[in-house]
Amino acid sequence: MQSGKLFISIIFFISVFQLRCPMGIPNEFVDDILNASYLAPLATGQTQCWDTAGAVETCSGTGQDGEYQKGRAADFTGPTQYQATGEYTTTDNGTGLVWTTCVEGQSGVDCTGGADTTYIWTAASTQCNALNALNAGAGYGGRTNWQMPTIQELGTIVDYSEYSPAVNIAYFPNIVAVSWDWSSTTDPTDTLNAMVVFPSTGWTSSEVKGNSRNLRCVSGSYDSSNDYLDMSDGTVFDKSTNLLWQKCSAGLSGSNCTSGTIKVVTWTAGLSYCNSLSLNGYTWKLPNINELKSIVDYTNANPAIDQSAFPNTASGLYMTSTTLNVTNFTQEWYIDMTNGLVNYDAKSNIKRVRCVTDGFY
């Protein structure tokens, strides 16, 4: 992220809070903001909007994902060959992660050599680690920190503007779209299972570790941890992403979110609720899929979220503003906060809501 962008974001954030706090911002809070280091969530790439019947509509005023094109755009380089070994890698310049261009078993610049190989979960971890010893210890692609990706890392190469596959094939060619790809993340609700991604859509699921699935290895690490600051006004600021969240699920209130009844509404009603929310004078919206993914915590279950920051969160489905990019466009992405799974469902079905404002990045 450019330093100028961070500076403008900080000045805007502080000026808003100075207007709300005539006595000035406490020094501790100012220090928190000035010392914040964040990585804005990926922009989903979705630029159109659709109604519940799947018809294209003008984005302005809808509050849908297509209306807001903020966040970090995908920025890949590759496939890049290491020396003359025939080993190809793809670099994400935004996250700093380096990926094997092909899933394990495939080879070549276009991944048409060989054939994709499946592994049980423990063998998948061993396979990625084995890449570090190649080339007389120089490692695959000249790198020696290969590992199985976390579910958060694997999610950074999903492109929600694409479908079948929902991955950019210019940088990851010959995707095995009908496969599942392993992550290193254990399902927080069942330690016998691990999280997998379906590259055709970006859908995630929980898979028995003894089953055999495809594998793409990653080099480097992506810090997906959160750094929350409770603003004591019904909002929670995440210093790791510069997103300001509604502390309580829609319908709830109070310091521990125990007052009221949680709202369970259709997609249209959820969009409308966030668009009209007047909490503390901010302009709110329904989060897109990548924004909502940023507060999932896979070290927790029932719900898979930090309940000290977001108390009384339901173990259930929370909607997003992102439409499933398929032929009928009548479905939207959601996250099941029971264990953090990403899936899609009809816009007409009811789900829970938590609003966000992205004015600080």
Side-chain angles (χ1 to χ4, degrees):
M1 184 191 65
Q2 297 178 350
S3 59
K5 182 179 177 183
L6 177 59
F7 177 76
I8 293 170
S9 177
I10 290 168
I11 294 301
F12 174 77
F13 191 99
I14 291 177
S15 65
V16 169
F17 274 88
Q18 284 175 330
L19 288 174
R20 292 174 51 202
C21 306
M23 298 300 292
I25 305 170
N27 289 334
E28 180 181 358
F29 176 76
V30 174
D31 290 342
D32 280 333
I33 299 302
L34 291 176
N35 293 326
S37 176
Y38 73 92
L39 185 64
L42 278 167
T44 64
Q46 195 161 106
T47 57
Q48 286 186 290
C49 296
W50 300 268
D51 62 20
T52 55
V56 175
E57 62 179 348
T58 302
C59 284
S60 179
T62 65
Q64 292 184 41
D65 188 0
E67 184 176 3
Y68 303 97
Q69 288 307 301
K70 301 185 73 172
R72 178 176 53 82
D75 180 19
F76 294 107
T77 300
T80 303
Q81 183 177 196
Y82 173 64
Q83 297 181 356
T85 60
E87 298 167 356
Y88 290 89
T89 59
T90 296
T91 300
D92 184 338
N93 300 300
T95 63
L97 295 173
V98 179
W99 296 87
T100 55
T101 298
C102 309
V103 295
E104 290 301 296
Q106 293 180 336
S107 61
V109 65
D110 57 1
C111 302
T112 57
D116 61 289
T117 304
T118 60
Y119 303 85
I120 64 171
W121 190 71
T122 52
S125 179
T126 299
Q127 175 64 20
C128 286
N129 292 338
L131 299 181
N132 299 317
L134 297 180
N135 300 310
Y140 183 94
R143 306 183 71 85
T144 57
N145 59 345
W146 293 100
Q147 58 195 354
M148 190 159 49
T150 66
I151 192 65
Q152 295 97 326
E153 289 167 341
L154 203 51
T156 63
I157 64 174
V158 173
D159 184 342
Y160 291 98
S161 68
E162 301 290 342
Y163 176 74
S164 194
V167 178
N168 192 318
I169 59 174
Y171 303 105
F172 301 99
N174 200 25
I175 292 287
V176 188
V178 295
S179 71
W180 291 91
D181 293 347
W182 278 124
S183 81
S184 63
T185 305
T186 293
D187 183 339
T189 62
D190 187 348
T191 59
L192 296 179
N193 289 13
M195 300 298 191
V196 290
V197 172
F198 191 50
S200 178
T201 60
W203 171 27
T204 67
S205 188
S206 177
E207 186 75 31
V208 176
K209 292 178 177 178
N211 291 345
S212 292
R213 298 302 179 207
N214 285 105
L215 172 67
R216 187 186 304 278
C217 302
V218 69
S219 173
S221 62
Y222 177 73
D223 186 2
S224 59
S225 60
N226 302 97
D227 189 4
Y228 295 123
L229 182 64
D230 191 327
M231 304 307 300
S232 301
D233 60 1
T235 67
V236 173
F237 179 53
D238 186 353
K239 293 186 287 181
S240 67
T241 60
N242 258 23
L243 291 173
L244 187 72
W245 290 92
Q246 185 181 23
K247 179 177 179 177
C248 302
S249 303
L252 301 181
S253 62
S255 60
N256 292 313
C257 304
T258 53
S259 297
T261 303
I262 194 166
K263 286 183 178 292
V264 186
V265 298
T266 65
W267 189 66
T268 301
L271 288 166
S272 178
Y273 169 82
C274 289
N275 291 351
S276 60
L277 184 65
S278 59
L279 180 62
N280 296 319
Y282 294 113
T283 299
W284 296 90
K285 66 169 191 172
L286 191 63
N288 68 37
I289 183 61
N290 284 334
E291 289 167 339
L292 192 57
K293 282 198 298 185
S294 75
I295 61 172
V296 175
D297 183 349
Y298 291 96
T299 65
N300 290 313
N302 299 306
I305 200 169
D306 183 345
Q307 288 213 82
S308 63
F310 302 104
N312 207 23
T313 294
S315 295
L317 312 186
Y318 280 75
M319 66 177 62
T320 78
S321 63
T322 306
T323 293
L324 175 65
N325 193 28
V326 293
T327 54
N328 60 19
F329 306 101
T330 59
Q331 300 183 89
E332 48 96 2
W333 288 98
Y334 70 79
I335 292 181
D336 184 349
M337 284 297 177
T338 303
N339 57 0
L341 289 180
V342 177
N343 208 331
Y344 48 87
D345 187 34
K347 293 176 178 178
S348 57
N349 290 340
I350 56 176
K351 302 172 190 69
R352 296 158 186 81
V353 179
R354 171 171 277 117
C355 307
V356 70
T357 180
D358 62 6
F360 308 128
Y361 76 77

